[in-house]
Amino acid sequence: MNYQFTIIVPVYNEEDNLLRVEEELLAYAKIATKKTKILLVNDGSKDNSQELIEAICSRNPEFTFINFKENRGLSAAIKAGFDFTDTPLVGYIDSDLQTTPTDFNILLQHIGEYDLVTGVRSNRKDSFVKNMSSTIANGIRRTFTHDGMDDTGCPLKVIKTDYAKRIPMFKGLHRFLPAMILLQHGKIIQVPVQHFPRIAGEAKFGLWNRLLGPLVDCFAYIWMKKKYINYEIDSRS
């Protein structure tokens, strides 16, 4: 089908959202500026998510899935999506659809010049506690990484696939995607996108893992930055 863009959708206990995921991503595929397919990554859901995923994929050729044997976390789901992507561009969106897939077209406008384009959630429709903890976590991360990004937790990103596949795996990866592209001497940019309240399902991150998690992961990032192997070929025979 000559697809150019793969959208990864991590799923964990999102049975109440999946039919809306199908509807909205199918609608986006019809207006996408790049020919698009969707990869649902079921992160060991314990509800009926997998049954719904299989039904969605059976009736829509644009959809495929990966099903984990057990829950491994958001970073593992995203990394698996990168590993199985075979298009030049890859992106991801959360299955709660608090961001809209139509905004991928805004991000795709910039991907020619840049290697990662990330959304920044405008007028966030979350609670005060959630917004404040996110602001603090982003401040902690920027202090360590100097990536200049205001909202790396925004679940709307587009990356050139060859860069995405070179990102090393560790838990908390999803918070450091821009920094990981910078380690490869890639170019990154942030672009405002829309944000909406969660309609169904439950949030998977609380105050504890929004604040402590990023702080611990920053030390892992500093270690990785010192050990990261990066080279450019000048010539070969």
Side-chain angles (χ1 to χ4, degrees):
M1 295 291 290
N2 198 29
Y3 290 107
Q4 300 168 294
F5 180 40
T6 299
I7 298 174
I8 299 164
V9 186
V11 176
Y12 180 62
N13 294 341
E14 292 285 1
E15 62 181 4
D16 294 332
N17 280 314
L18 282 170
L19 293 181
R20 193 162 65 95
V21 167
E22 176 186 21
E23 178 182 356
E24 293 201 16
L25 284 166
L26 277 178
Y28 170 69
K30 295 177 181 178
I31 63 166
T33 55
K34 304 285 185 183
K35 190 164 181 60
T36 299
K37 63 180 178 178
I38 299 97
L39 175 58
L40 302 171
V41 182
N42 184 13
D43 182 22
S45 295
K46 296 177 174 60
D47 61 2
N48 292 320
S49 290
Q50 182 57 26
E51 289 82 354
L52 288 167
I53 287 170
E54 291 179 13
I56 290 169
C57 293
S58 68
R59 59 181 174 253
N60 300 295
E62 299 91 345
F63 283 78
T64 57
F65 73 84
I66 298 170
N67 182 29
F68 284 5
K69 288 184 176 180
E70 57 187 7
N71 177 244
R72 304 303 295 172
L74 178 58
S75 294
I78 294 171
K79 181 61 165 62
F82 290 166
D83 290 343
F84 283 86
T85 291
D86 57 4
T87 54
L89 299 173
V90 61
Y92 84 88
I93 187 171
D94 279 355
S95 50
D96 61 17
L97 292 181
Q98 287 193 255
T99 51
T100 174
T102 59
D103 281 349
F104 274 122
N105 281 351
I106 299 174
L107 274 58
L108 287 167
Q109 292 176 13
H110 301 274
I111 198 63
E113 180 181 356
Y114 294 91
D115 304 301
L116 175 145
V117 185
T118 182
V120 179
R121 290 167 285 190
S122 300
N123 300 315
R124 285 187 64 174
K125 303 300 191 294
D126 287 324
S127 68
F128 173 80
V129 172
K130 188 173 180 180
N131 286 337
M132 184 57 65
S133 62
S134 179
T135 298
I136 295 171
N138 275 299
I140 293 170
R141 178 195 41 72
R142 278 196 305 273
T143 299
F144 280 82
T145 65
H146 305 289
D147 61 11
M149 298 290 103
D150 297 317
D151 185 17
T152 61
C154 178
L156 201 73
K157 291 178 173 63
V158 175
I159 313 173
K160 290 178 180 174
T161 301
D162 56 345
Y163 280 84
K165 288 183 178 292
R166 291 196 296 266
I167 295 173
M169 175 63 187
F170 69 93
K171 290 184 179 180
L173 166 78
H174 59 282
R175 302 183 183 102
F176 292 86
L177 293 178
M180 290 298 179
I181 300 302
L182 290 178
L183 284 183
Q184 300 179 45
H185 304 307
K187 296 177 66 177
I188 62 177
I189 189 174
Q190 55 185 3
V191 180
V193 296
Q194 302 173 82
H195 190 248
F196 305 91
R198 177 183 267 272
I199 294 176
E202 297 181 356
K204 307 305 186 295
F205 292 93
L207 179 63
W208 180 259
N209 52 24
R210 281 198 190 93
L211 292 179
L212 182 60
L215 178 59
V216 173
D217 293 339
C218 281
F219 291 104
Y221 168 79
I222 293 298
W223 177 87
M224 183 174 295
K225 184 177 181 180
K226 291 180 179 179
K227 302 293 184 179
Y228 189 76
I229 295 173
N230 204 354
Y231 63 87
E232 298 179 17
I233 302 296
D234 181 54
S235 59
R236 64 185 293 252
S237 62

